[in-house]
Amino acid sequence: MNAPSLRGFQLHDFAIQTARDAGRILAERFGHKIEISNKSDIDLVTESDLAAEGLIIDRIKTHYPRHSILAEESGVTNPHDHESEWRWIIDPLDGTTNYAHGYPCFCVSIALEHQANLVIGVVYDPLRDEMFAAERGQGASLNGRRISVSRTRNLSTALLCTGFPYDVRQRNDFARHFASFIMHAQGVRRDGAAALDLAYVAAGRFDGFWEEGLKPWDVAAGALIIEEAGGRLSNYRGEPLDIHNPPVVASNGLIHDQMREVLNA
């Protein structure tokens, strides 16, 4: 289905400005003593997550009160008595563990669906002031300049990235895949912020990405940015990506099948 025209709604600019404002909260508090709690044994949440998410949700409710919201910390928020065609998918702080340890690799991720189709995606790195953004049918950009995926054709010369699922100790396939890619690719990186990894694939900094156990808010914005930058996304079987059903493999398209061969070996 074709996405509706969004220019008149100014949703793209709204998403960018909201991500910038949420990122400012994260940057101002980064490196200072912050309150940290555990959602599970190894899954953290900080007061900065909650403050940034609160800003984003309040902003959406103020300007688009009839839109629904799916947010990492707050879950699903639906407008009263209204089945919305629009849904915002929010990760206010992707890379929370990095953030809590003072490691400068994290971002804000905001996506918008219309009738279950992604139409807007923004990923903002506040420390580097890098705004990756895409609008359905309009291409992808970094700080307003057009970006595209890399032209690397062979896995042997590719720089890949991945993430470790929170339950990685129970995922024997992940360890096998990681070892295989180390042997087949030029290099593999693990930075701990999936949305930023996906944005880097879109910008040609990485050639491919794979990960298990991701959530919709980890993937939604980055997936659209990669698609609009000319890349490819799927599950490990090569079927179209469903952001609600990981795993995900993303690439410049040219090495996609080579990556899938490793994942399915």
Side-chain angles (χ1 to χ4, degrees):
M1 187 191 72
N2 293 328
S5 173
L6 301 176
R7 292 299 183 186
F9 291 89
Q10 298 181 327
L11 288 166
H12 180 261
D13 294 340
F14 170 83
I16 286 175
Q17 187 58 53
T18 300
R20 284 193 185 280
D21 293 342
R24 188 175 301 113
I25 290 175
L26 303 181
E28 288 173 350
R29 301 182 182 199
F30 181 65
H32 299 283
K33 185 177 180 179
I34 55 173
E35 183 177 338
I36 302 170
S37 57
N38 287 70
K39 293 188 286 186
S40 67
D41 289 343
I42 52 178
D43 193 1
L44 306 178
V45 61
T46 72
E47 60 185 83
S48 299
D49 291 77
L50 301 175
E53 184 170 290
L55 179 147
I56 297 168
I57 290 176
D58 287 348
R59 187 79 55 84
I60 293 169
K61 286 183 174 180
T62 297
H63 293 273
Y64 302 103
R66 296 177 69 82
H67 289 191
S68 63
I69 301 168
L70 173 61
E72 179 175 12
E73 308 305 337
S74 303
V76 179
T77 302
N78 288 310
H80 295 298
D81 302 320
H82 181 67
E83 186 81 19
S84 180
E85 295 182 342
W86 301 89
R87 183 171 71 161
W88 295 89
I89 304 175
I90 300 162
D91 192 342
L93 173 50
D94 186 38
T96 299
T97 301
N98 290 346
Y99 187 90
H101 286 269
Y103 181 61
C105 182
F106 57 87
C107 65
V108 179
S109 177
I110 301 175
L112 177 63
E113 288 181 327
H114 180 254
Q115 297 179 345
N117 293 287
L118 291 168
V119 291
I120 286 174
V122 299
V123 173
Y124 181 54
D125 178 346
L127 295 188
R128 295 174 181 81
D129 191 26
E130 290 191 328
M131 178 67 71
F132 302 86
E135 184 176 348
R136 174 71 64 186
Q138 301 295 327
S141 65
L142 168 55
N143 290 346
R145 299 183 65 178
R146 191 74 173 256
I147 56 173
S148 61
V149 294
S150 73
R151 304 305 299 168
T152 301
R153 293 185 172 276
N154 297 308
L155 185 59
S156 62
T157 58
L159 180 61
L160 307 180
C161 57
T162 189
F164 297 165
Y166 285 119
D167 59 349
V168 66
R169 297 172 182 86
Q170 285 75 50
R171 293 179 181 267
N172 294 330
D173 283 346
F174 178 83
R176 178 171 56 84
H177 293 155
F178 189 78
S180 295
F181 277 123
I182 289 175
M183 300 302 295
H184 284 85
Q186 188 172 58
V188 178
R189 303 289 181 262
R190 192 269 180 172
D191 286 330
L196 203 54
D197 289 341
L198 292 168
Y200 277 22
V201 173
R205 296 173 178 176
F206 290 132
D207 303 302
F209 167 87
W210 86 98
E211 189 171 346
E212 305 172 27
L214 293 171
K215 302 297 184 182
W217 46 81
D218 298 314
V219 179
L224 181 63
I225 296 169
I226 288 177
E227 185 177 342
E228 288 294 315
R232 180 180 170 189
L233 304 106
S234 73
N235 62 21
Y236 290 179
R237 295 185 299 272
E239 298 163 344
L241 177 66
D242 179 351
I243 63 172
H244 299 278
N245 291 296
V248 57
V249 55
S251 76
N252 62 6
L254 301 173
I255 63 166
H256 203 86
D257 290 336
Q258 296 170 61
M259 291 184 66
R260 288 188 51 249
E261 287 179 10
V262 172
L263 291 166
N264 291 301

